[in-house]
Amino acid sequence: MAATVIDGKAFAAKVRGQVAEHVARLKEEHGITPGLAVVLVGEDPASQVYVRSKGKSTVEVGMNSFEHKLDADTPEADLLALIDQLNNDPKVHGILVQLPLPKHLDEDLVINSIAPEKDVDGFHISNVGLLGTGQKSMVPCTPLGCLMMLREHHGSLSGLDAVVIGRSNIVGKPMAQLLLGDSCTVTIAHSRTKDLPDVVRRADIVVAAVGRPEMVPGDWIKEGATVIDVGINRIDAPEKGEGKTRLVGDVDYASAAERAGAITPVPGGVGPMTIACLLANTVTAACRASNLAEPEGLTA
Amino acid sequence: MAATVIDGKAFAAKVRGQVAEHVARLKEEHGITPGLAVVLVGEDPASQVYVRSKGKSTVEVGMNSFEHKLDADTPEADLLALIDQLNNDPKVHGILVQLPLPKHLDEDLVINSIAPEKDVDGFHISNVGLLGTGQKSMVPCTPLGCLMMLREHHGSLSGLDAVVIGRSNIVGKPMAQLLLGDSCTVTIAHSRTKDLPDVVRRADIVVAAVGRPEMVPGDWIKEGATVIDVGINRIDAPEKGEGKTRLVGDVDYASAAERAGAITPVPGGVGPMTIACLLANTVTAACRASNLAEPEGLTA
């Protein structure tokens, strides 16, 4: 059986379309234009690409994008002052500080200085705590995107056996909370797990979020399982020519696709969903800020 | 094989002894007497018993106990004002608001008004978030007690398969976080879990925290597994005479003890550890408040 390919690019486009509709409605009915502020400290090339891409997507769905670029040696106090200003700016509904920060800045302190209701990355400890107790929160974008794809494919997730491989604060742990919130039986596996193949083999849903190229072979996948591959790893691709590289996930796609019922490709699976969910979180934050009903289907 | 009985009463006494030593040391070396404030609103009989018991234990280990009893119809603003006063009182290192609160009071609001560093119950969303991201936090007392017993019995928990039955915010979810922090492969099961017997059978560690009398029969337990029974359920005991009752756990003790390697009894297992951990959290909070090293073995 060939697996259904979960097309993250198409699904992300659909989510962005929904966001755009909500933005248009907020403008028309309430005179509100959702705004996302992105703060970049320093000149990390990858971060610059991400920030540019986020700004472009924000404008495309009709929202305001506010970019703040600070020197790599910006004192912490200046960064905190900027965040304070954004916290108090009613035109700004979402604030994202691009990580990683230069080493002289305390990432936890900076993230926790963002007003939790504007923390569209969902990294503030209050949001972690709200998610961890089943309350309304801002949910980290990547796991939210995975959840949306799983709900779209399965309808209800209740009672399904889900295995999350990886226990990062950004993906693995919040993913487990979200799956638990949707009533999966959730197992969190990681580098210390004794018999990972056995753990993965019993899962109806496998979310791989480790960052190790193709570490999950197809024969670990239960026949018919849904595989969500969060990994984006660049590896050498000599077959494409000397010095060439290609992107692969944490799952060996070719062999896993032979057994899975559904699978996300890399690239074009989870990746495109992350920015779409950032936009979704921003429109959700804008609605909450004005005590308006949240857009359906765009939150956990 | 007969299971080792994990004697919670004896272990709790040991923990209280360690706490008492730290309290004596804090007094002698630093002139600090750790203080625990307990707030009781209304006259719920069970809550009154708990509060009295907590106060007595607090004094027994040499700490200051501050009891605040408020009328059942106390306005929320008055309760919040009291908490604010306790937050700012340097003699108070731990604050516990006895739950449940009368219906006119917003429990989440009240709990989240406690200064997180004094929140010895570990229920403040900041503490949930800190625990959920592997940072230093105040850890809820019951799961902390379970963790201490597991560490005492196993030494390292790394790589063990742990199953937590129940996903409450007070026990199940923080227990899962603690086991994950100690590098178990953690599965959270609950009422929607499809094949609970099968899930429990693969566990090296079973933590049952559901509140359903004897719902886990012995034949679900893997040979040699460690069973931590958090349930305390009162059931009819006609064999003791008409109208008599007895306490049982969530696990069928007799049959489970035949297969388990180690098991906590009910009563006398997890129960006594909860107050001991409350005292441990208070002494930890007192140390942190003065930037002193935390007592070893009394925190997660």
Side-chain angles (χ1 to χ4, degrees):
Chain A
M1 189 182 77
T4 302
V5 179
I6 300 178
D7 183 343
K9 220 168 149 183
F11 193 59
K14 183 179 145 189
V15 170
R16 287 200 308 272
Q18 290 172 297
V19 169
E21 281 172 30
H22 284 289
V23 170
R25 182 179 56 80
L26 285 171
K27 284 183 188 174
E28 212 178 282
E29 296 177 11
H30 304 282
I32 298 166
T33 304
L36 172 64
V38 177
V39 180
L40 174 64
V41 186
E43 298 178 351
D44 179 70
S47 291
Q48 287 181 321
V49 172
Y50 294 141
V51 166
R52 208 176 307 131
S53 172
K54 286 168 186 173
K56 189 166 160 279
S57 303
T58 304
V59 172
E60 277 171 4
V61 294
M63 304 201 294
N64 287 327
S65 169
F66 308 102
E67 285 186 32
H68 296 266
K69 297 187 176 175
L70 307 182
D71 288 339
D73 59 357
T74 298
E76 194 166 80
D78 291 7
L79 176 56
L80 294 176
L82 170 60
I83 292 174
D84 187 54
Q85 178 203 314
L86 298 172
N87 283 342
N88 290 299
D89 185 341
K91 292 192 304 298
V92 172
H93 302 97
I95 302 170
L96 182 152
V97 176
Q98 184 67 42
L99 303 179
L101 289 171
K103 287 210 163 43
H104 69 287
L105 300 170
D106 180 340
E107 251 176 40
D108 284 333
L109 178 73
V110 169
I111 295 303
N112 290 325
S113 73
I114 299 172
E117 64 275 14
K118 295 190 178 187
D119 165 43
V120 283
D121 253 346
F123 295 160
H124 191 293
I125 53 161
S126 291
N127 280 317
V128 179
L130 289 168
L131 178 61
T133 50
Q135 299 178 75
K136 248 188 220 307
S137 65
M138 280 285 140
V139 176
C141 301
T142 299
L144 178 57
C146 297
L147 181 74
M148 284 185 188
M149 291 193 287
L150 285 166
R151 283 177 174 173
E152 170 89 355
H153 183 72
H154 284 275
S156 169
L157 306 180
S158 179
L160 295 177
D161 283 313
V163 169
V164 178
I165 315 174
R167 51 175 162 170
S168 73
N169 291 335
I170 294 176
V171 184
K173 287 179 185 173
M175 187 77 245
Q177 296 287 356
L178 289 171
L179 292 167
L180 190 62
D182 270 27
S183 293
C184 291
T185 302
V186 181
T187 299
I188 310 176
H190 45 77
S191 57
R192 304 295 175 85
T193 292
K194 274 186 306 196
D195 189 349
L196 188 58
D198 189 52
V199 171
V200 175
R201 272 187 197 115
R202 59 198 190 211
D204 304 310
I205 293 171
V206 179
V207 180
V210 181
R212 282 182 54 196
E214 301 176 325
M215 71 162 286
V216 178
D219 72 354
W220 292 9
I221 304 298
K222 182 164 91 173
E223 198 74 43
T226 301
V227 177
I228 306 289
D229 191 349
V230 181
I232 301 179
N233 311 288
R234 188 167 289 283
I235 62 168
D236 292 337
E239 74 280 7
K240 292 169 67 179
E242 205 188 301
K244 295 285 185 180
T245 61
R246 60 188 178 99
L247 292 177
V248 298
D250 291 349
V251 176
D252 179 53
Y253 185 82
S255 62
E258 283 175 27
R259 295 173 61 95
I263 187 167
T264 60
V266 176
V270 174
M273 287 298 291
T274 299
I275 289 187
C277 287
L278 174 66
L279 304 176
N281 275 348
T282 306
V283 82
T284 297
C287 290
R288 288 182 185 166
S290 294
N291 288 313
L292 299 171
E294 293 173 16
E296 257 181 62
L298 297 182
T299 54
Chain B
M1 187 183 78
T4 301
V5 178
I6 300 179
D7 183 343
K9 219 169 148 184
F11 193 59
K14 184 180 144 188
V15 170
R16 286 199 308 271
Q18 289 172 298
V19 170
E21 281 173 30
H22 284 290
V23 170
R25 182 180 57 80
L26 284 171
K27 285 183 188 176
E28 212 179 282
E29 294 177 12
H30 303 283
I32 298 165
T33 304
L36 173 63
V38 176
V39 180
L40 173 63
V41 185
E43 298 180 351
D44 179 70
S47 292
Q48 286 181 321
V49 172
Y50 294 140
V51 167
R52 207 176 307 131
S53 171
K54 286 168 186 172
K56 188 165 162 279
S57 304
T58 305
V59 172
E60 278 172 2
V61 295
M63 304 201 296
N64 288 327
S65 169
F66 309 102
E67 286 184 31
H68 296 266
K69 297 187 177 174
L70 306 182
D71 289 338
D73 59 358
T74 297
E76 196 166 79
D78 291 7
L79 176 56
L80 295 177
L82 170 61
I83 292 174
D84 187 54
Q85 177 203 314
L86 297 172
N87 283 343
N88 290 299
D89 184 343
K91 294 192 304 297
V92 172
H93 303 96
I95 302 170
L96 181 153
V97 176
Q98 183 67 42
L99 301 180
L101 288 172
K103 288 211 163 41
H104 69 287
L105 300 170
D106 179 341
E107 253 177 39
D108 285 332
L109 178 74
V110 168
I111 295 303
N112 290 326
S113 73
I114 299 172
E117 64 276 14
K118 295 191 177 187
D119 166 43
V120 283
D121 254 345
F123 295 160
H124 191 292
I125 53 162
S126 292
N127 281 316
V128 179
L130 289 167
L131 178 61
T133 50
Q135 300 179 74
K136 249 188 219 308
S137 65
M138 280 285 140
V139 177
C141 301
T142 300
L144 178 58
C146 297
L147 182 74
M148 284 185 187
M149 292 193 287
L150 286 166
R151 283 177 175 172
E152 171 89 355
H153 183 72
H154 284 275
S156 169
L157 306 181
S158 180
L160 295 177
D161 283 313
V163 169
V164 178
I165 315 174
R167 52 175 161 169
S168 73
N169 291 334
I170 294 177
V171 183
K173 288 179 185 172
M175 187 77 246
Q177 296 286 357
L178 289 171
L179 292 167
L180 189 64
D182 271 28
S183 292
C184 292
T185 302
V186 181
T187 299
I188 311 176
H190 45 78
S191 57
R192 304 295 175 86
T193 293
K194 273 186 306 194
D195 189 348
L196 188 58
D198 190 52
V199 171
V200 174
R201 271 186 198 115
R202 58 199 191 211
D204 303 310
I205 292 170
V206 179
V207 180
V210 181
R212 282 183 53 196
E214 301 177 325
M215 71 162 284
V216 178
D219 71 353
W220 292 9
I221 304 298
K222 181 164 91 171
E223 199 73 43
T226 300
V227 177
I228 305 288
D229 191 349
V230 181
I232 302 180
N233 311 288
R234 187 167 289 282
I235 61 169
D236 291 336
E239 74 279 7
K240 291 169 66 179
E242 204 188 302
K244 296 286 183 180
T245 60
R246 62 190 178 97
L247 292 177
V248 298
D250 291 349
V251 176
D252 179 53
Y253 184 82
S255 61
E258 281 175 28
R259 296 172 61 94
I263 187 167
T264 60
V266 176
V270 174
M273 288 298 291
T274 299
I275 288 187
C277 287
L278 175 66
L279 304 175
N281 275 348
T282 305
V283 82
T284 298
C287 290
R288 288 181 185 167
S290 295
N291 287 314
L292 300 169
E294 294 173 16
E296 258 180 60
L298 297 182
T299 54

